[in-house]
Amino acid sequence: MTKMNKNVIKKVKLDDVAEKAGVSKTTVSRVLNNRGYISEKTRKKVHDVIEELNYQPNEIARSLFINKTFIIGLIFPTTTNPFYGQLIFHLENISESLGYKVLLCNSLGREDKEREYLRMLQRHQVDGIISGAHNRGIEEYNNSSLPIVAIDRYLSEDIPVVSSDNYDGGKKATQLLIEKGCKQIIHINGSPELETPANLRKKAYEDVMKKNQLHPITYINQNNYIERLFNENPNVDGIFASDDLIAAQVVREAKKRNINIPNDLKVIGYDGTEIAELLISELSTIQQPIKEMAELAIKLLMSQINGESLSQIEWQLPIKLIEGETT
């Protein structure tokens, strides 16, 4: 019986790199982990051998050596919402530029999924977490030893929060509709049960309406609310929506009812994402500084990962009023 020769692929080890480069294993480790002084000549020699041998470092061993996994967990309720989609895009790009990978967790707004994802990220020993998820009362956030930054969510008293200036956004949106002559202005908001800085949009709307002797009316984003809004308020002439997707639905329903925008009804949204601008270029909106929010969230997370203390818990970034053809 003839034996068949098989090509055996030998996995390249750190010892092989050290031997071929003529240096110690410790030197190779220092080059890989960028620790300690290494001359440029030695560093180049090691990198050349790594490339020649196609050496793939053991990431688990590396993470144990430097006590870092270089992985960040992201927990968000959905990736289909343009605001979250654009925010996650920037978070991933910025993380990659700093040498970090991300684990993206889509909780679908479910408390059980959010809790399990949080536990999973802790088990995988990620270096930190950025969360924009919705659910309240998840004790794992309070008990976590990991650095965490929240985006537009209050997760606990000790977790820093990054958001846009929601109150100023709500104020500018409502003032614009009043300046355009609107008298019956309705606000469409998310669930008031969520502990989020975005609730300040509604607070600002109510304050501006009362200051101008107008009656505030708020509809919650649920259960055919847009049809009810138009049926119950035939004289509505201004709508401030809490995000651009809702504003787009309002515009579509108004067109179905042959309501002229902006002559008979003026509409302004919130977020100002690139996708919304592309699809609904005429929409007036409050634009959030999404890239800057992502940059600040990463900066705050890296500060915590590096053992630095933060000077405050809540950060707000300025918004911008974009006036389009719907007002």
Side-chain angles (χ1 to χ4, degrees):
M1 185 175 182
T2 305
K3 293 184 179 180
M4 296 179 62
N5 292 326
K6 295 183 178 180
N7 292 325
V8 179
I9 300 176
K10 179 184 176 183
K11 184 177 179 180
V12 179
K13 299 180 179 180
L14 185 140
D15 299 37
D16 301 322
V17 175
E19 181 179 351
K20 189 168 183 63
V23 298
S24 68
K25 291 190 296 182
T26 301
T27 298
V28 176
S29 293
R30 286 178 176 173
V31 170
L32 290 170
N33 296 295
N34 197 26
R35 292 169 67 95
Y37 173 75
I38 302 290
S39 70
E40 285 304 314
K41 180 180 179 181
T42 300
R43 189 182 303 274
K44 183 178 184 307
K45 183 192 297 183
V46 171
H47 278 301
D48 288 345
V49 172
I50 288 173
E51 184 175 347
E52 179 186 344
L53 300 180
N54 193 26
Y55 172 67
Q56 302 298 321
N58 185 323
E59 290 296 332
I60 296 176
R62 179 171 179 257
S63 66
L64 290 173
F65 180 74
I66 61 176
N67 200 28
K68 282 186 179 181
T69 60
F70 288 95
I71 299 174
I72 294 173
L74 305 181
I75 307 178
F76 284 89
T78 178
T79 56
T80 59
N81 182 290
F83 171 74
Y84 291 127
Q86 188 170 331
L87 180 62
I88 291 167
F89 168 80
H90 288 302
L91 288 171
E92 194 280 331
N93 268 354
I94 298 167
S95 298
E96 193 273 336
S97 71
L98 296 174
Y100 280 79
K101 299 179 178 65
V102 302
L103 281 177
L104 176 58
C105 303
N106 187 351
S107 70
L108 301 178
R110 285 169 41 189
E111 181 179 340
D112 61 328
K113 288 197 71 173
E114 183 177 348
R115 179 176 281 110
E116 181 51 39
Y117 275 137
L118 184 55
R119 292 170 178 168
M120 181 269 288
L121 292 174
Q122 291 174 320
R123 288 196 302 269
H124 282 71
Q125 297 183 330
V126 297
D127 292 340
I129 296 172
I130 295 177
S131 178
H134 281 281
N135 295 287
R136 303 170 61 185
I138 297 182
E139 287 300 316
E140 281 81 357
Y141 284 117
N142 291 317
N143 300 330
S144 175
S145 59
L146 286 173
I148 300 177
V149 174
I151 295 186
D152 223 20
R153 294 289 178 270
Y154 296 121
L155 300 179
S156 86
E157 294 181 356
D158 300 321
I159 293 177
V161 182
V162 173
S163 67
S164 69
D165 191 338
N166 288 280
Y167 188 89
D168 189 44
K171 179 180 176 181
K172 281 184 166 59
T174 311
Q175 285 178 336
L176 176 65
L177 295 174
I178 292 174
E179 290 168 3
K180 295 291 184 176
C182 298
K183 300 297 183 184
Q184 187 173 0
I185 303 169
I186 295 176
H187 176 50
I188 304 174
N189 195 30
S191 173
E193 296 182 356
L194 298 178
E195 295 181 355
T196 166
N199 289 333
L200 291 173
R201 302 171 195 175
K202 177 176 179 288
K203 176 70 167 59
Y205 157 76
E206 293 173 343
D207 289 348
V208 173
M209 291 288 284
K210 292 173 182 176
K211 182 178 179 180
N212 288 272
Q213 290 78 52
L214 297 173
H215 178 58
I217 302 172
T218 297
Y219 276 72
I220 304 302
N221 177 10
Q222 60 185 16
N223 301 330
N224 300 318
Y225 63 97
I226 292 182
E227 291 183 10
R228 288 193 295 107
L229 183 156
F230 280 104
N231 291 338
E232 296 168 0
N233 303 274
N235 296 319
V236 59
D237 56 4
I239 294 179
F240 165 34
S242 60
D243 69 47
D244 292 339
L245 289 182
I246 293 175
Q249 294 171 26
V250 168
V251 171
R252 184 169 64 238
E253 182 65 23
K255 289 180 178 179
K256 284 169 56 179
R257 295 171 182 252
N258 295 316
I259 298 174
N260 184 276
I261 297 176
N263 293 334
D264 300 323
L265 175 67
K266 303 185 192 311
V267 180
I268 184 167
Y270 206 104
D271 284 342
T273 62
E274 294 174 357
I275 292 178
E277 184 179 358
L278 180 65
L279 298 178
I280 328 164
S281 58
E282 72 277 11
L283 179 67
S284 295
T285 189
I286 300 297
Q287 186 179 65
Q288 298 199 71
I290 301 176
K291 182 179 180 181
E292 289 77 8
M293 291 170 68
E295 290 173 339
L296 179 55
I298 293 290
K299 179 182 177 182
L300 296 176
L301 191 68
M302 290 299 143
S303 294
Q304 293 182 81
I305 290 173
N306 294 326
E308 302 169 12
S309 59
L310 302 180
S311 60
Q312 61 194 69
I313 289 295
E314 192 164 355
W315 278 261
Q316 293 183 347
L317 296 176
I319 50 81
K320 181 179 180 181
L321 171 63
I322 305 294
E323 189 172 350
E325 299 173 11
T326 59
T327 54

